[in-house]
Amino acid sequence: MSEKRSKTVPAEELERQKEYAKQVRELMLLRTRNPVPLAHVHTYGCQGNVADGERIKGMLAQMGFEFTEDPQEADFILYNTCAIREHAEDRVFGNVGALKHIKERHPATILGLCGCMMQQPQAAERIRKSFPYVSLVFGTHVVHRLPELLYRVLTCERRVFERPDGDGVVAEGLPVRRDGVWKAWLPIMYGCNNFCSYCIVPYVRGRERSRTVDAILTEAKEIIAAGYKEITLLGQNVNSYGKDLPEPVSFARLLKSIDALPGDFKIRFMTSHPKDATRELIDVIAESRKISHHLHLPVQSGSNRILKAMNRHYTREQYLQLIDYAKKRIPDLSLTSDIIVGFPGEMREDFEETLSLIQEVRYTSLFTFIFSPRQGTPAAEMEDPVPAKVKSAWFSELLQVQEGIAAQRSAAMVGQVVEVLCEEMGKDGLLSGRTDGNVMIEFSGKPELIGHTVKVNVTRARNWILVGEAVAEAE
Ligand code: 5AD
Ligand code: SF4
């Protein structure tokens, strides 16, 4: 049990980091060419990375930084990178290359890289060799040590590369500077134990480790007190939440506790792994008032042969049974999924099974990806005879089928009154937000509605976006 607890970063370590933060604050004031030190933090990739970025910005604010969207004027530029597909990595290398001229013009600018890509040895090595003007690189397990690492950059001549391997830690009590105005991200666990054969995440994010219920409820209360209207609980596989705690707690129970907190807010969560999503979870959603009727349940493929090769641990039939139960229990449930096209060895018949599955489920929307081999994962070593051109054609076909489904679903919404958290007003003077099922909607109404849950009459469907008019503020 003590081994389990040792994942939490000790309070003394965080105190030590606060001391470093003070020193960095002094040093940066001397170094900056601006009235106050400015940081430019850019996050790539998933919401987990965005949540890390918010803690990084919290620590930077503690070190006296303010923030800028313009890298040209920043004293510190940090890219929080993603490794999920090759495309994400290419973008980072391209953008780091483009920073060279900033460093030439303002040599005191500090350039740093962190996030999943930097946890991969070969990517960090490429930065070391080909981008000598990057002076700070740190991995996913030492985010809480940013003050110390920046202090080292400021006081040593050498570049700082800090990317220890390991199963990962949980750092509680870090300051958070949230990006959203109405919506807040709340990580409930980190890491992944599943080792789907295509996925790099378990290698760069370590093993599953849950935050305690107390820590999560405390943060949820802070979020609600700060006026946020929507909390999205985050984890690679939220359904295995709590299994590693000294006293195990199920995700369904955690959801119930958050649902019971007083206040006017909605709860979303992502991502659910179909092998661990339970009927109990569906029941909790059905019986709650605050949990959105939206379930992101990535299927990845409709073919049992490919699901097996992906190491997903469920069959098409099991997945469809769960969906069937969920639809019966929650008739207005909105379902979304991730799909990978062109997994090694996928044949036309397998792909057609995916097409038939999406036609059966009728998802609201899909996140679709062409398989991208990730060095170090089993799938990267598998025979992959299907040409890229064929995969692209399948990919377009999938998009087309899904567009048809989404269009029909949107058209069926016309005439309904839906509840929407009104988030902002666009340049065209229309308000916008997302329905409970997470569909984008634009509507006419007064600006005072921003930040409120509004009843909107859906008048039209424009592709996958709904259009409507506000009828009343929801009680
Ligand atoms: N290639 C393509 N897509 C991938 N994903 C994860 N790894 C890969 C890969 N190597 C997709 C999966 C996952 C989503 C976040 O990214 O669909 O659910
Ligand atoms: Fe990757 Fe699978 Fe873990 Fe999701 S559950 S992060 S796809 S290994």
Side-chain angles (χ1 to χ4, degrees):
M1 206 170 273
S2 60
E3 199 189 305
K4 283 185 172 177
R5 289 212 186 96
S6 67
K7 289 176 304 195
T8 308
V9 177
E12 311 84 74
E13 171 61 27
L14 294 180
E15 281 307 312
R16 214 168 66 86
Q17 294 302 326
K18 276 193 200 153
E19 288 305 314
Y20 280 117
K22 277 189 207 150
Q23 311 253 16
V24 172
R25 181 188 273 265
E26 309 269 309
L27 290 167
M28 280 310 301
L29 277 173
L30 297 174
R31 186 179 173 116
T32 182
R33 65 193 142 97
N34 296 303
V36 287
L38 292 178
H40 171 83
V41 180
H42 186 80
T43 293
Y44 299 79
C46 70
Q47 280 76 13
N49 240 22
V50 172
D52 277 357
E54 293 184 338
R55 280 164 167 77
I56 286 170
K57 283 189 235 173
M59 286 186 279
L60 287 170
Q62 210 169 42
M63 291 181 250
F65 283 93
E66 288 185 8
F67 297 90
T68 175
E69 290 296 311
D70 179 6
Q72 302 282 346
E73 61 172 5
D75 300 289
F76 178 42
I77 300 175
L78 182 67
Y79 287 165
N80 183 18
T81 64
C82 167
I84 197 94
R85 281 170 293 273
E86 198 176 352
H87 176 66
E89 298 199 340
D90 289 346
R91 272 177 56 209
V92 170
F93 283 125
N95 291 351
V96 175
L99 291 179
K100 189 174 179 188
H101 71 275
I102 297 185
K103 185 74 182 175
E104 279 165 359
R105 193 175 315 153
H106 303 292
T109 310
I110 301 164
L111 306 182
L113 294 171
C114 64
C116 293
M117 194 176 148
M118 292 304 112
Q119 194 63 30
Q120 292 178 291
Q122 72 279 8
E125 215 29 56
R126 185 164 160 197
I127 296 294
R128 193 193 290 280
K129 290 222 176 86
S130 310
F131 302 90
Y133 50 88
V134 172
S135 42
L136 171 63
V137 166
F138 60 99
T140 53
H141 302 318
V142 288
V143 169
H144 60 282
R145 284 175 49 209
L146 176 59
E148 173 192 344
L149 301 175
L150 254 183
Y151 177 80
R152 273 167 47 195
V153 170
L154 291 168
T155 54
C156 307
E157 293 295 305
R158 304 233 310 270
R159 303 166 82 192
V160 174
F161 277 65
E162 188 76 18
R163 11 176 329 282
D165 284 331
D167 290 346
V169 293
V170 176
E172 290 300 352
L174 294 180
V176 189
R177 193 177 177 279
R178 297 186 195 282
D179 293 339
V181 186
W182 309 111
K183 298 178 174 187
W185 308 112
L186 173 44
I188 61 167
M189 60 191 299
Y190 306 98
C192 181
N193 288 355
N194 294 306
F195 291 92
C196 299
S197 61
Y198 49 81
C199 188
I200 196 69
V201 168
Y203 304 88
V204 293
R205 286 267 168 190
R207 296 292 68 74
E208 280 175 6
R209 48 217 189 267
S210 304
R211 298 178 69 190
T212 62
V213 174
D214 274 355
I216 295 167
L217 289 179
T218 303
E219 190 170 342
K221 285 180 202 160
E222 282 165 13
I223 290 171
I224 299 160
Y228 289 92
K229 300 289 183 215
E230 193 176 291
I231 301 178
T232 303
L233 309 177
L234 296 176
Q236 296 296 342
N237 177 8
V238 290
N239 298 289
S240 61
Y241 170 79
K243 289 181 184 165
D244 61 320
L245 289 172
E247 284 173 39
V249 186
S250 73
F251 178 56
R253 250 191 62 203
L254 175 74
L255 268 179
K256 271 192 195 166
S257 312
I258 300 174
D259 191 49
L261 292 175
D264 165 27
F265 65 99
K266 276 268 179 188
I267 305 166
R268 296 185 189 273
F269 58 88
M270 64 194 299
T271 293
S272 291
H273 193 307
K275 83 177 164 64
D276 297 312
T278 57
R279 291 188 171 208
E280 185 196 5
L281 170 72
I282 308 286
D283 293 341
V284 173
I285 303 173
E287 284 151 21
S288 136
R289 259 180 47 82
K290 291 186 175 134
I291 305 172
S292 290
H293 285 186
H294 169 216
L295 188 59
H296 183 58
L297 197 63
V299 69
Q300 312 295 359
S301 168
S303 151
N304 281 335
R305 199 174 68 79
I306 297 299
L307 287 173
K308 193 145 198 270
M310 287 177 163
N311 195 31
R312 290 290 287 178
H313 293 282
Y314 55 84
T315 61
R316 171 193 177 95
E317 291 73 25
Q318 285 164 336
Y319 182 90
L320 288 173
Q321 265 170 17
L322 186 66
I323 294 283
D324 198 44
Y325 180 76
K327 281 181 175 171
K328 285 202 179 104
R329 209 60 187 79
I330 313 166
D332 66 343
L333 183 66
S334 163
L335 289 153
T336 54
S337 184
D338 297 346
I339 305 264
I340 297 179
V341 173
F343 185 81
E346 179 171 328
M347 306 306 287
R348 177 75 204 177
E349 303 87 88
D350 300 302
F351 173 66
E352 282 177 9
E353 297 238 37
T354 299
L355 287 183
S356 79
L357 183 134
I358 69 162
Q359 274 155 332
E360 187 165 342
V361 177
R362 297 180 58 75
Y363 293 103
T364 304
S365 58
L366 289 180
F367 297 90
T368 46
F369 311 101
I370 293 186
F371 170 72
S372 168
R374 306 284 62 212
Q375 194 179 330
T377 63
E381 307 298 320
M382 294 177 188
E383 287 283 313
D384 192 4
V386 174
K389 246 173 134 178
V390 174
K391 293 187 182 186
S392 294
W394 291 354
F395 186 76
S396 308
E397 198 177 335
L398 176 70
L399 291 190
Q400 222 174 14
V401 172
Q402 176 56 31
E403 263 173 35
I405 296 168
Q408 280 174 3
R409 288 186 61 97
S410 299
M413 304 278 299
V414 175
Q416 289 185 23
V417 173
V418 292
E419 280 193 10
V420 181
L421 166 61
C422 178
E423 291 175 48
E424 57 187 8
M425 181 171 266
K427 286 195 194 96
D428 51 5
L430 284 179
L431 298 167
S432 66
R434 282 178 181 267
T435 66
D436 191 56
N438 213 26
V439 179
M440 277 267 289
I441 180 160
E442 290 182 345
F443 53 98
S444 51
K446 299 194 196 96
E448 296 86 89
L449 295 175
I450 295 171
H452 294 272
T453 303
V454 182
K455 283 197 160 71
V456 178
N457 184 11
V458 181
T459 51
R460 203 154 55 84
R462 214 180 58 215
N463 301 327
W464 57 87
I465 299 178
L466 299 173
V467 182
E469 50 204 26
V471 286
E473 201 174 312
E475 61 282 345

